[in-house]
Amino acid sequence: MSKELPAPVPRLTVITLGVSDIRASIAFYDALGFARRLKATGEAVAFFDTGGPVLALFPWDQLAADATLPDKPRPSSFRGITLAWNCRTREEVDAVLAFAVEKGAALLKAAHETDYGGYSGYFADPDGHPWEVVVAPGIDVGDDRRVHLAE
């Protein structure tokens, strides 16, 4: 008789970005204000506290090898994933976009009113990973920096 295993508790704990130049990427995310943790890893891998899931940076070719995927050709276009930086106000969206660009990001799309009643824009990090900076109805950012979703 086969006993069904209990379902594990679902959780997203780490988002790892493959990067071309780990030193430059560490400097970029430091400049954005994310707190680096576990610095003993040096430049082999970098971990940043985001107030939610951990953001990790890992050399692109090594990340591909670890996942048993080819590291070439690298996609030069959209990869089907974005990261998000949720904000409390439209003014904060504008400030975050300006700050990210000042620190070396590329502005992909200026902040604008969305069709769902929000306000959003996009920047890309030095490796082209797109970040949406957004304030959206039903999604609040608490004092704990965590996102709280409406029921």
Side-chain angles (χ1 to χ4, degrees), residues 78-148:
F78 183 57
R79 298 174 185 119
I81 187 169
T82 63
L83 304 169
W85 185 322
N86 284 76
C87 298
R88 293 179 179 186
T89 66
R90 286 169 162 71
E91 294 78 21
E92 185 181 1
V93 169
D94 292 334
V96 169
L97 285 170
F99 183 73
V101 169
E102 177 185 294
K103 298 302 180 186
L107 183 66
L108 297 177
K109 186 176 186 179
H112 64 284
E113 299 289 331
T114 66
D115 59 358
Y116 57 82
Y119 185 71
S120 127
Y122 284 86
F123 71 82
D125 78 358
D127 281 279
H129 298 291
W131 281 77
E132 180 184 23
V133 183
V134 61
V135 61
I139 303 175
D140 295 313
V141 179
D143 291 336
D144 59 359
R145 299 189 310 149
R146 295 186 184 276
V147 171
H148 302 278

Side-chain angles (χ1 to χ4, degrees), residues 18-99:
V19 298
S20 299
D21 181 339
I22 194 148
R23 182 176 288 154
S25 291
I26 289 169
F28 175 75
Y29 283 98
D30 274 338
L32 286 184
F34 290 105
R36 185 161 180 214
R37 304 289 189 232
L38 298 174
K39 292 182 182 180
T41 60
E43 293 179 358
V45 61
F47 298 99
F48 292 88
D49 182 358
T50 68
V54 170
L55 177 65
L57 306 175
F58 197 61
W60 185 292
D61 57 339
Q62 293 176 43
L63 183 59
D66 193 46
T68 66
L69 297 169
D71 71 315
K72 290 188 174 85
R74 287 191 186 176
S76 59
S77 62
F78 183 57
R79 298 174 185 119
I81 187 169
T82 63
L83 304 169
W85 185 322
N86 284 76
C87 298
R88 293 179 179 186
T89 66
R90 286 169 162 71
E91 294 78 21
E92 185 181 1
V93 169
D94 292 334
V96 169
L97 285 170
F99 183 73

